[in-house]
Amino acid sequence: MFFTHAVGACYITHMGEIGIQIGERYRRRGYARTALNTLIAMHKGQRLLANIAPGNEASRKLFEGFGFKHIQDTLELTA
């Protein structure tokens, strides 16, 4: 079966930084888990990073469930 609409987006940078965004109406259906599983499989053995916004518990739990560990908090100052 082929679907012609997107439920979100995912990417991985040349530095191994992962980004996953799922549209609000499609969340909690396993799409993020499938995307993350696919990205990990495609980059097996590579160091991967995920920047997660403070308070985004769902994303934190998703990544930790795949074995990601907390390594830093990042602060920003915009002028």
Side-chain angles (χ1 to χ4, degrees):
M1 182 174 280
F2 181 75
F3 295 97
T4 59
H5 65 280
V7 299
C10 66
Y11 66 85
I12 188 164
T13 70
H14 68 282
M15 295 177 56
E17 300 166 320
I18 293 175
I20 298 174
Q21 188 280 326
I22 303 298
E24 192 170 330
R25 68 185 277 197
Y26 298 105
R27 292 181 188 160
R28 302 198 184 281
R29 296 185 186 182
Y31 293 116
R33 180 172 300 284
T34 299
L36 183 53
N37 196 41
T38 301
L39 290 171
I40 290 169
M42 291 173 67
H43 299 275
K44 197 166 192 81
Q46 182 179 339
R47 179 179 187 238
L48 302 175
L49 302 168
N51 294 313
I52 299 171
N56 189 338
E57 286 296 308
S59 287
R60 184 186 60 77
K61 287 180 181 180
L62 171 68
F63 281 88
E64 286 178 347
F66 277 85
F68 283 73
K69 305 288 184 219
H70 180 263
I71 58 169
Q72 76 177 32
D73 291 320
T74 303
L75 303 175
E76 175 186 44
L77 173 65
T78 57

